[in-house]
Amino acid sequence: MASDNGSGGVLARQRQAVILEEARRSGAVRVSELVARLGVSDMTIRRDLDVLASQGLVEKVYGGATANLGKSTDEPGFEAKSEQQQAQKEAIAALAAGLVRPGTAIGISAGTTTWTFARALDSVPGLTIVTNSVRVADVLREAGQPERTVVLTGGVRTPSDALVGGVAVASLRRLHLDQVFLGVHGMADGPGFTTPNLDESETNRALVEAGRRFVVLADHTKWGVVGISTIADLEEADVVVTDDGLPAAARETLAEHVGELMVADVNEAEES
């Protein structure tokens, strides 16, 4: 039996990211093959699969697991998504907040990662923030910063609490922002940054076009996921902020295509 040479901390997250990437690439993984590849025990791999299954990312079967890719139009609600990868989202938000300068105008899309990012902006004064997210607008309003301006677009509400459609698009096309921070459903080489909602894709595209700098906030589980509609190609992103669970191969691919890849250290963020 292989020895367990790293079942906790960062190594566990990195191992689970490798398992998930392989499951999505080939459709299924076998415990015996993962033991040989990763050099850990059978029980460690089974625990990793339990974690991934509890997050709805794989489905356990006899001897291994299959990828749970869902449909390209599947759109989980805000509450369901907010329970997933919380530590990763906090680390990404803290790192991305360092990109925001006082007194600038920024756009923030809907999503649980961008909602977490909005909560990390309390120390940045004088911002004008445009968002199509009711949840993000609520967080910013509750922060109680009188010098901050928050603009909420109109539109039709989606399961992820985004305001989308013609009204939102028309509002965004009249704006000029310093930076746009976008959360995505998935990112992959080829399809780019995607969403399962066609109307949200159009609205997010308008938000991206309103900004001089385009920043994507996406945890490692978004890699290899493909929604029905592309928001932007990988090459269009000036910055991608992700977490250290992203496998090396995915990091190399993103680094080749995006302007800058920033990787948040989840352990460091949890300790600070």
Side-chain angles (χ1 to χ4, degrees), residues 78-112:
F78 185 94
E79 300 299 342
K81 290 193 293 185
S82 66
E83 297 296 324
Q84 301 171 355
Q85 286 76 51
Q86 292 178 336
Q88 287 81 1
K89 291 171 184 175
E90 293 284 355
I92 289 168
L95 186 58
L99 299 173
V100 182
R101 299 290 175 261
T104 55
I106 66 173
I108 304 177
S109 77
T112 54

Side-chain angles (χ1 to χ4, degrees), residues 42-81:
D42 178 283
M43 288 303 298
T44 295
I45 294 298
R46 293 186 186 279
R47 285 196 297 269
D48 288 336
L49 294 178
D50 284 339
V51 171
L52 294 172
S54 72
Q55 296 171 350
L57 300 172
V58 302
E59 182 176 346
K60 293 186 69 179
V61 296
Y62 182 76
T66 58
N68 187 10
L69 297 177
K71 302 174 183 176
S72 62
T73 55
D74 282 349
E75 185 174 12
F78 185 94
E79 300 299 342
K81 290 193 293 185

Side-chain angles (χ1 to χ4, degrees), residues 92-135:
I92 289 168
L95 186 58
L99 299 173
V100 182
R101 299 290 175 261
T104 55
I106 66 173
I108 304 177
S109 77
T112 54
T113 306
T114 47
W115 174 74
T116 306
F117 166 69
R119 294 162 56 199
L121 295 176
D122 284 351
S123 62
V124 187
L127 294 177
T128 297
I129 303 173
V130 176
T131 184
N132 68 322
S133 168
V134 176
R135 303 270 188 161

Side-chain angles (χ1 to χ4, degrees), residues 242-266:
T242 187
D243 65 86
D244 53 8
L246 190 70
R251 296 190 196 191
E252 290 174 7
T253 299
L254 281 171
E256 289 174 1
H257 291 284
V258 306
E260 180 182 1
L261 178 64
M262 299 177 66
V263 180
D265 186 321
V266 177

